[in-house]
Amino acid sequence: MRVLFVGTELSPFSKVGGLGDVMGSLPKALLQQGIDVRVVTPAWSGVMERLREGGYKVSTFPQKASASYAWQAADATVHRVDVDGAPVYFLESEYYAGEMYPWDLNSWTVRPFAIFAMQALDLKKVIGWAPDVYHCHDWTSSYLPCALAWHRKLRDQGQKSVLTMHNAAHQGMFYPGSFFDESGMDPSCFNAGGLEFYGQVSLLKGAIFTASALTTVSPRYAWEIQTYESTQALSGVLYSQRHKLSGILNGIDVDLWNPATDPLLPECYSASSLAGKATCRAELLKNTSFDPAYSGPIVVCVSRLVEQKGFDIVLPALKQVRALGAKFVFLGSGHRWIEDALRDVSASNSDSVCFFPGYSEPLAHLLYAGGDIYLMPSLFEPCGLSQMIAMRYGAVPVVREVGGLRDTVTDADVENGGNGFTFLTYDTQGMLWSLKRAIERFSNVKAWQKIRARGMAEDFSWDKSARLYGELYKKIL
Ligand code: ADP
Ligand code: GLC
């Protein structure tokens, strides 16, 4: 069985969030199931340098992967790198030289995503290997299943496609403008049963109709997205396609995210030998302006700073931060208003709140390892990897019961005890109800150890879910 992963992020070369983690770790798990899986991804600006700096062996094909857009050839140089046993094809082209994701999507800024899908379809000619299944991810590679159905030159090739929705809030929508003239997509598909969605083009909607199977990244989110409260008008489309929709929980790369071997930590540790966690905590404190002798709970958060992650309910709580009995460390980048607010609150409470703006792998590892409590009060969360990483590193999650958070975290105060603290109502009081329980419980050493140990013992590997993907491919072939 031959499967080509088609996606626009790939950890560790071009990761923005969890999509990059999944693209970087699921193929490895599928290889172990005996599936011939390969990956194609754009070489966004900086990626070729990262490959060279990382000492990867890059081989470049003489032939280019072709596409055509607006009556012009749009070719890419194809570079092959083997990552953890899986061949990865990086497509280098002028179209991937700018920002990865445009703020404003229109018929002009959508070009890189259409061209990427067309080049991915042309790849078989360059590498002499044709997939049985194209496994696409999110709206950014949704053009591909649509092209297999509706592109004048590319349709009816016979291959199957799977679309995994990592975040149905991003639907690849724009006013058509010159899109149907330039993209090769047949204008007859601009209708309610096709690409059209309330007067705009929706690439995600098109792929929902055309993909052979649909998955999303947790069972709960698969259910939620069929409700109006979650995806509004798109819920009707998803409900109508529910016969081919399933929720398969993400895993994490348990080799990469392993406190027992993590080279980015000042000292490694495991569930049975936690001394190293105290060293990581001390190192984290050193990086803040907090009292180095502080012994209370440290609440950490590593996140894209976007509405989805619940900052509008966190920020009001931080106004009274000294009354909470904990210290907070945030790492993240994203919307300006959230960055500014975190900067302000940390400037006026520098003994209790620390904010590291930006994206940093080493700091992320230090926060997971040095933190006691991991805060993730998301408005919605398709799966969430951060809470799983946090549990593996012995930071107890405080999460909202939504999407994949609901599938992975159970409250410590229910019968038989859980691995974290949860709440349902999306407001500051709701979050504080759980956060305060976590902060109080921290001082009960025995109870805390039990909760932390449960989280550290969870199996967040890809094994089970990779088998489910394998079964899904078999079903559609
Ligand atoms: P999402 O994909 O919605 O951002 P996930 O929890 O699935 O959320 O995955 C987030 C991933 O991105 C995790 O691996 C997390 O550690 C990482 N991450 C998020 N923000 C940063 C940052 N500022 N620096 C380093 N890693 C980050
Ligand atoms: C998205 C979601 C996140 C999920 C990740 C990987 O970015 O927001 O919940 O874990 O994709 O599937």
Side-chain angles (χ1 to χ4, degrees), residues 335-415:
H335 290 326
R336 235 342 238 293
W337 73 266
I338 305 176
E339 287 196 32
D340 288 348
L342 284 173
R343 236 185 231 114
D344 287 352
V345 73
S346 62
S348 43
N349 300 276
S350 59
D351 59 345
S352 305
V353 182
C354 171
F355 172 45
F356 297 109
Y359 185 93
S360 162
E361 278 304 328
L363 266 179
H365 285 243
L366 186 62
L367 261 69
Y368 289 120
D372 302 300
I373 296 173
Y374 189 83
L375 184 60
M376 197 161 174
S378 305
L379 173 61
F380 67 94
E381 197 59 71
C383 179
L385 304 176
S386 297
Q387 82 282 9
M388 300 193 222
I389 300 170
M391 281 188 263
R392 199 160 157 73
Y393 279 65
V396 172
V398 170
V399 305
R400 179 154 179 260
E401 287 165 29
V402 70
L405 296 173
R406 189 177 189 268
D407 288 338
T408 52
V409 183
T410 44
D411 199 285
D413 287 335
V414 298
E415 218 181 321

Side-chain angles (χ1 to χ4, degrees), residues 444-458:
N444 181 340
V445 177
K446 272 219 171 118
W448 191 256
Q449 277 169 350
K450 251 195 196 161
I451 301 166
R452 184 175 57 193
R454 276 191 212 112
M456 291 184 89
E458 297 280 356

Side-chain angles (χ1 to χ4, degrees), residues 7 36 38 49 60 78 87 103 119 224 252 292 334 346 383 401 410 417:
D36 181 0
R38 305 187 183 199
E49 288 76 8
T60 303
V78 181
W103 280 112
Q119 291 169 345
E224 284 172 3
I252 54 173
S346 62
C383 179
E401 287 165 29
T410 44

Side-chain angles (χ1 to χ4, degrees), residues 15-19 21 257 302-304 308-309 331-333 358-361 364 368 376 381 384-386 389:
K15 167 177 155 182
V16 175
L19 167 61
D21 286 307
W257 295 108
V302 179
S303 182
R304 289 185 298 119
Q308 172 191 343
K309 301 296 178 179
L331 164 65
S333 61
Y359 185 93
S360 162
E361 278 304 328
Y368 289 120
M376 197 161 174
E381 197 59 71
L385 304 176
S386 297
I389 300 170

Side-chain angles (χ1 to χ4, degrees), residues 253-263 265 268-270 365 392-393:
D253 184 335
V254 288
D255 298 327
L256 179 79
W257 295 108
N258 184 356
T261 55
D262 191 334
L265 302 186
C268 290
Y269 60 92
S270 64
H365 285 243
R392 199 160 157 73
Y393 279 65

Side-chain angles (χ1 to χ4, degrees), residues 9 16-23 137-138 164-168 170 216-218 221 248 250-251 304 306 308-309 376 378 380-388 404-405 462 469:
E9 288 178 35
V16 175
L19 167 61
D21 286 307
V22 173
M23 286 287 297
H137 299 265
D138 275 351
T164 294
M165 288 171 283
H166 297 261
N167 194 338
H170 302 299
T216 184
V217 287
S218 69
Y221 190 61
I248 302 180
N250 281 335
R304 289 185 298 119
V306 294
Q308 172 191 343
K309 301 296 178 179
M376 197 161 174
S378 305
F380 67 94
E381 197 59 71
C383 179
L385 304 176
S386 297
Q387 82 282 9
M388 300 193 222
L405 296 173
W462 272 108
Y469 278 111

